[in-house]
Amino acid sequence: MIKLSVITINYNNAAGLQKTIESVTSQTFKEYEYIVIDGGSNDGSKEIIESYVGKITYWVSEKDKGIYHAMNKGIQQAKGAYCLFLNSGDFLCNHKVLEEIFAINSMADIIYGNMMIDWGNGKRTEGKMPDTITAQQMYTDTLWHPVSFIKRT
């Protein structure tokens, strides 16, 4: 069984999409499938996707009903034990991130970590998640999708 389905959604963010695809395809961990859902971009995104056709398991470029519709289209294609939403512009901070995450061999429903926030002006900060996610934490904050591996079941 595939351990991970990485899902990237995109709409007219060719530069961000390129960065995200390179981040995923350069991983040392290979037990993943890569799904790209593009909302019918007209900025060259489709051509970028096509240039990685051998490294992308499934992709589509067509008009959709927005972010959540695109995410759900990705989930419908997913076959991995876990899903990770790494949307266009998001990136894994090094080429061993997935290897390190799945070396833990957790069976948790959600595996999550901290997030490096790139403010785009040369400044980066680390966003820290609590050691334990509680209902209160979810009510007052969020679970960051680029660092949350959620069991597909």
Side-chain angles (χ1 to χ4, degrees):
M1 173 184 230
I2 298 168
K3 288 190 178 181
L4 177 64
S5 297
V6 180
I7 303 167
T8 295
I9 63 168
N10 177 70
Y11 182 66
N12 284 336
N13 183 16
L17 179 63
Q18 177 85 38
K19 183 177 188 176
T20 303
I21 291 174
E22 287 177 6
S23 156
V24 173
T25 60
S26 71
Q27 291 295 299
T28 56
F29 179 84
K30 299 298 182 193
E31 294 180 58
Y32 70 88
E33 64 178 351
Y34 192 25
I35 298 165
V36 179
I37 308 296
D38 179 67
S41 297
N42 58 14
D43 69 340
S45 291
K46 183 177 178 183
E47 290 75 16
I48 290 170
I49 296 167
E50 289 172 336
S51 74
Y52 287 92
V53 75
K55 296 182 177 188
I56 296 173
T57 310
Y58 173 87
W59 70 274
V60 66
S61 180
E62 63 189 15
K63 188 168 174 49
D64 55 47
K65 298 174 187 169
I67 293 169
Y68 298 110
H69 182 231
M71 292 173 108
N72 284 326
K73 286 167 64 174
I75 292 169
Q76 288 172 345
Q77 294 299 320
K79 294 173 181 62
Y82 288 88
C83 290
L84 169 66
F85 285 98
L86 200 64
N87 297 335
S88 63
D90 296 340
F91 60 94
L92 299 165
C93 66
N94 68 58
H95 67 280
K96 290 191 172 200
V97 169
L98 298 181
E99 184 179 317
E100 292 167 358
I101 292 293
F102 286 98
I104 298 167
N105 202 21
S106 174
M107 296 302 296
D109 289 336
I110 301 173
I111 302 169
Y112 62 95
N114 296 328
M115 182 167 70
M116 185 61 63
I117 302 167
D118 185 339
W119 298 98
N121 59 3
K123 182 181 176 191
R124 289 184 176 182
T125 56
E126 184 177 11
K128 293 269 198 186
M129 288 294 293
D131 290 337
T132 304
I133 297 173
T134 64
Q136 178 65 27
Q137 188 272 334
M138 290 299 293
Y139 180 74
T140 59
D141 200 2
T142 190
L143 185 63
W144 296 321
H145 68 83
V147 295
S148 300
F149 301 80
I150 301 171
K151 200 175 269 187
R152 188 171 52 92
T153 56

